[in-house]
Amino acid sequence: MLDTFEILTTSGVVLWSRSYANVNPAVINTFISDVFVEEKSSAAGASKHSSAATNSPYKADQHTLKWAFVKELGIIFVAVYRSLLHLQWIDDLVDHIKTIFVKLYGDQLTRPNTTIIECESFDEYFNQQLQELEGAGATTAEARGSRKEASLEKEQLDPPGLVHRNVAKDDISPGITASPASRPITPSGKSHLVVAKAGPVAKMSRRARKAQQQSNSAPASSGDESPARRAKGAKGGKKGRKWDADGLADEEDDVQLDYSAQAITSESEAEGLARSTALEEVDSSTWGQTTKGKFVLRDLGDEVHSILASAEAENAASKTESSSGLLGTGLNTISGLFRNVVGGKTLTKEDLDKAMKGMEDHLLRKNVAREAAVRLCEGVEKELVGVKTGSFESINSRIRSAMESSLTKMLTPTSSLDLLREIDSVTSPPATSLRKRRPYVISIVGVNGVGKSTNLSKICFFLLQNKYKVLIAAGDTFRSGAVEQLAVHVNNLKELTKREGGRVELYQKGYGKDAAAVAKDGVNFAAQEGFDVVLIDTAGRRHNDQRLMSSLEKFAKFAQPDKILMVGEALVGTDSVAQARNFNAAFGSVRSLDGFIISKCDTVGDMVGTLVSLVHATNVPVLFVGVGQHYSDLRNFSVKWAVEKLLGNN
Ligand SMILES: Nc1nc2c(ncn2[C@@H]2O[C@H](COP(=O)(O)OP(=O)(O)OP(=O)(O)O)[C@@H](O)[C@H]2O)c(=O)[nH]1
């Protein structure tokens, strides 16, 4: 049977716990030290903490510890039981409790300067899960009795309140402490009180309170089926509750919170009760809904199942995304690269050298150009020499968080681009402004075949959906077929967006003309015809082709684009740095690139290092990423997404 379950932070603060038997505190302390401080091999699962549901079991002192870790929140979930036992449901318990706890309290935990976690109502959720899973695993009532005795004994030994594991007071990381009421030792019969909810306004009927008091004081009678289990058997027979002005349930309505006692036999009966339910002061997140749109309090079991179901759906979605190389995977850890030294020490260059080499190799594998990878690592090393690591922090996690900050800083644009607002500011200047209305001009440049026309069309699609009038100017007067290719895009876009109210036309002068002059004429034409935006396509050119590159300066002078965007392929590799530098320098001393569109991100999985190389080489921000071959496959660039991909496993 389960001996203890603890939810604690990596700095050793116990947020919530439940004990059914005395377990030597050294068991969990050693586990934390081995797995999280020293990252010993027996904790192989540590490398996968955030993605794995539960990790390899840890064994100590005749106990087995099943655990899960939510890296983003720095929270460990650990269940301890006797190694002799085989608890089939224990993995599910750890996984479900992790999911529910994160869902209920994740927001509190991420709030800055959080000093307390209000998780006293978590008892109910835990009970619900334990009984549901254990019920399936046929726990005996006798075991419950002995468990309760053990829990009471433990209560005397270890008073509820703030508990720290193995950490000196000064070492406790700021931010999170446990609510004093977060560790009540509760006998398992309690969860039949379906009023349980997350948050301070949970209401409880008089009868419910009485039942709780009874269940807290009286030992569970052997052979008595738990109320929660009976309630489960009566699923579907639920009634709404009436609440009186004190927030107590009106017993006169004769509706029991313990659904085991009766079942609602007809739908009309259920609806009648729903109509009579008064909801003042009840947190809406706890509501369920009847078909008539009236709310009744939701059953705890339903709530837990819906939390688990939505987490499962999210996991499935993120798995699909990562396997298809699309956006949005979770923040994984880097496997085993730099696991070497313990926390709580002042870092020297020697400590860091080996680990930094691991980080550099990791970045190279992510397709970051060597120059950028070396520079980033040098910066992080410089920053970390002389720094003291946290009490439960290994060198690798210190390096990782420093690299995360460096990458985030580097990739975050100094000013954000709100394209639509910028367009509006030039196409509809305020009446008081001296500026005349004119079209907003974007030109797209890049080497051959990177996706210039495709991504220009994607931007156009986005603008048409926002009802702008767009002129596409065919500035590639060089490659045969380029103008026709744009004409096909324009026809497709017209067809796709005819109901949106936008307008798109092609401006073209065929081949062989001076591209700068065509672009300038196109902009003038757009101004006369009342277009809002001009998108100018340009010929692809090798960045080391002097003749073609030098024509870009004239092009910029003639067309006067508001934005010059360079399309760079995610899969370009080592050439990326030179490409970015040459294009950035090609517009003369007064102009440079305004942003990158990184195309074909869908083809590289998490090897998105090229974007780091481009930004590192130029200081020009990434604005959009292309993620496929459809017009809608363009995304605003998310720094968080990129950093997660870059520092994730590979
Ligand atoms: N998978 C994927 N393919 C893309 C993406 N963007 C563009 N492509 C494909 O890349 C190929 C080249 O795209 P184009 O738009 O013709 O490239 P270009 O830079 O205009 O080509 P040139 O005019 O010859 O220089 C086409 O097959 C596009 O469908 C993307 O984000 N993902």
Side-chain angles (χ1 to χ4, degrees):
M1 301 305 111
L2 183 64
D3 282 350
T4 193
F5 196 107
E6 291 205 356
I7 303 175
L8 62 161
T9 70
T10 42
S11 33
V13 178
V14 179
L15 296 175
W16 183 92
S17 74
R18 171 70 61 80
S19 287
Y20 299 107
N22 281 326
V23 174
N24 185 346
V27 169
I28 295 187
N29 287 345
T30 322
F31 156 71
I32 293 175
S33 162
D34 282 356
V35 176
F36 291 91
V37 178
E38 299 191 33
E39 302 191 358
K40 283 187 183 158
S41 57
S42 64
S47 62
K48 306 187 187 84
H49 349 263
S50 76
S51 55
T54 48
N55 298 280
S56 321
Y58 178 90
K59 303 213 182 230
D61 189 21
Q62 298 172 22
H63 285 87
T64 298
L65 285 74
K66 288 283 181 121
W67 59 281
F69 180 51
V70 178
K71 184 162 178 52
E72 296 80 353
L73 300 174
I75 299 185
I76 305 156
F77 298 79
V78 56
V80 186
Y81 60 97
R82 293 256 155 197
S83 300
L84 280 173
L85 299 171
H86 178 59
L87 304 184
Q88 282 173 326
W89 42 268
I90 200 81
D91 280 348
D92 281 347
L93 181 72
V94 175
D95 188 36
H96 292 187
I97 290 303
K98 177 190 80 172
T99 303
I100 297 165
F101 194 84
V102 168
K103 170 78 184 171
L104 295 174
Y105 309 112
D107 285 351
Q108 282 189 53
L109 289 161
T110 46
R111 249 177 247 152
N113 304 321
T114 301
T115 52
I116 205 157
I117 298 297
E118 299 282 353
C119 58
E120 49 280 21
S121 60
F122 192 66
D123 280 348
E124 307 289 350
Y125 293 86
F126 186 84
N127 289 339
Q128 191 279 342
Q129 269 304 294
L130 183 63
Q131 297 201 0
E132 184 171 304
L133 295 168
E134 200 184 28
T139 307
T140 63
E142 286 79 2
R144 283 176 195 283
S146 64
R147 172 184 296 153
K148 180 192 287 226
E149 279 157 30
S151 79
L152 292 170
E153 196 183 324
K154 169 80 176 157
E155 189 166 24
Q156 284 146 17
L157 289 171
D158 194 357
L162 185 66
V163 179
H164 296 121
R165 285 217 164 267
N166 203 21
V167 191
K169 200 160 174 252
D170 296 344
D171 285 341
I172 297 164
S173 64
I176 300 169
T177 55
S179 155
S182 66
R183 317 182 56 239
I185 296 159
T186 322
S188 55
K190 190 173 145 194
S191 69
H192 71 287
L193 302 172
V194 292
V195 290
K197 58 184 285 299
V201 291
K203 296 186 174 189
M204 209 177 265
S205 73
R206 290 189 189 102
R207 184 181 303 172
R209 283 188 187 153
K210 204 166 151 213
Q212 187 185 23
Q213 280 157 10
Q214 280 167 357
S215 89
N216 280 343
S217 55
S221 61
S222 64
D224 184 20
E225 193 186 11
S226 86
R229 217 178 288 166
R230 278 184 278 121
K232 217 179 139 217
K235 209 162 192 288
K238 295 166 194 162
K239 293 183 178 182
R241 221 43 225 154
K242 255 188 187 171
W243 300 104
D244 65 19
D246 306 328
L248 296 174
D250 179 1
E251 297 307 321
E252 305 320 315
D253 66 5
D254 206 25
V255 181
Q256 295 184 6
L257 288 172
D258 180 351
Y259 296 131
S260 62
Q262 57 174 260
I264 297 171
T265 49
S266 74
E267 220 177 283
S268 60
E269 195 185 349
E271 281 170 10
L273 283 161
R275 273 195 294 279
S276 69
T277 304
L279 294 160
E280 302 86 356
E281 300 172 50
V282 180
D283 180 350
S284 63
S285 65
T286 65
W287 299 349
Q289 200 168 10
T290 69
T291 46
K292 299 245 157 137
K294 302 276 180 183
F295 290 108
V296 292
L297 279 177
R298 189 192 253 184
D299 173 71
L300 180 64
D302 288 348
E303 184 184 346
V304 166
H305 295 148
S306 107
I307 291 173
L308 295 174
S310 71
E312 207 172 304
E314 276 168 26
N315 277 347
S318 76
K319 268 191 201 135
T320 316
E321 280 190 353
S322 63
S323 63
S324 64
L326 289 177
L327 309 186
T329 55
L331 199 64
N332 293 321
T333 54
I334 301 164
S335 59
L337 284 178
F338 335 107
R339 56 179 69 243
N340 48 3
V341 195
V342 185
K345 82 181 293 285
T346 303
L347 297 172
T348 63
K349 191 166 181 325
E350 290 66 47
D351 292 333
L352 288 163
D353 268 351
K354 197 165 153 224
M356 287 316 309
K357 183 76 187 86
M359 175 55 94
E360 190 183 310
D361 290 345
H362 175 83
L363 292 177
L364 292 175
R365 279 199 298 277
K366 293 284 173 160
N367 212 12
V368 176
R370 182 170 296 280
E371 176 186 329
V374 168
R375 195 65 54 79
L376 275 161
C377 288
E378 279 171 2
V380 165
E381 185 177 90
K382 211 164 148 197
E383 185 188 317
L384 291 184
V385 170
V387 164
K388 192 174 177 202
T389 57
S391 51
F392 280 111
E393 198 178 35
S394 62
I395 286 193
N396 63 356
S397 61
R398 191 70 188 80
I399 288 178
R400 189 186 187 285
S401 64
M403 185 54 80
E404 196 175 321
S405 319
S406 288
L407 286 167
T408 303
K409 199 166 153 203
M410 179 205 258
L411 295 175
T412 304
T414 45
S415 61
S416 66
L417 172 71
D418 182 342
L419 189 60
L420 300 185
R421 189 189 296 188
E422 275 201 21
I423 293 172
D424 290 344
S425 73
V426 303
T427 55
S428 327
T432 50
S433 163
L434 294 175
R435 279 184 288 126
K436 267 195 7 216
R437 181 190 192 286
R438 65 169 180 85
Y440 188 86
V441 181
I442 301 175
S443 55
I444 308 282
V445 300
V447 303
N448 310 74
V450 286
K452 292 182 297 301
S453 325
T454 309
N455 284 288
L456 175 145
S457 305
K458 290 176 187 174
I459 293 177
C460 183
F461 179 70
F462 165 67
L463 296 173
L464 292 173
Q465 286 187 318
N466 286 286
K467 303 191 175 9
Y468 289 94
K469 295 188 195 107
V470 185
L471 185 71
I472 293 184
D476 184 354
T477 56
F478 187 73
R479 178 176 68 80
S480 83
V483 177
E484 289 75 10
Q485 189 183 339
L486 271 188
V488 171
H489 280 309
V490 168
N491 284 337
N492 290 345
L493 289 165
K494 273 186 181 160
E495 189 58 31
L496 274 174
T497 59
K498 58 187 172 203
R499 274 190 232 105
E500 320 290 344
R503 176 181 163 208
V504 56
E505 300 294 343
L506 179 67
Y507 183 88
Q508 58 101 1
K509 292 285 173 205
Y511 297 97
K513 305 263 168 18
D514 177 13
V518 173
K520 186 177 176 186
D521 293 349
V523 173
N524 290 338
F525 177 79
Q528 283 158 22
E529 298 296 315
F531 284 90
D532 300 310
V533 182
V534 185
L535 298 175
I536 309 174
D537 192 26
T538 62
R541 62 202 80 210
R542 290 288 308 152
H543 60 280
N544 44 14
D545 180 331
Q546 281 302 325
R547 190 177 62 81
L548 278 176
M549 288 301 284
S550 63
S551 65
L552 284 175
E553 186 169 354
K554 180 178 174 194
F555 169 82
K557 268 196 197 119
F558 272 46
Q560 293 286 316
D562 293 275
K563 287 275 179 280
I564 304 176
L565 305 183
M566 174 175 167
V567 178
E569 270 179 335
L571 29 82
V572 68
T574 47
D575 207 24
S576 55
V577 171
Q579 277 183 20
R581 286 211 174 104
N582 289 358
F583 270 93
N584 198 35
F587 302 96
S589 51
V590 287
R591 277 305 299 254
S592 53
L593 291 172
D594 297 297
F596 291 111
I597 301 173
I598 309 297
S599 67
K600 311 185 189 180
C601 287
D602 52 306
T603 64
V604 293
D606 55 7
M607 291 169 62
V608 294
T610 296
L611 61 89
V612 174
S613 317
L614 297 181
V615 176
H616 176 261
T618 58
N619 263 336
V620 171
V622 175
L623 299 181
F624 302 106
V625 290
V627 293
Q629 289 176 284
H630 295 103
Y631 292 112
S632 56
D633 289 334
L634 186 73
R635 303 280 182 276
N636 273 323
F637 175 60
S638 153
V639 175
K640 185 167 176 285
W641 164 80
V643 173
E644 283 174 1
K645 294 255 175 202
L646 289 161
L647 293 183
N649 279 323
N650 64 2

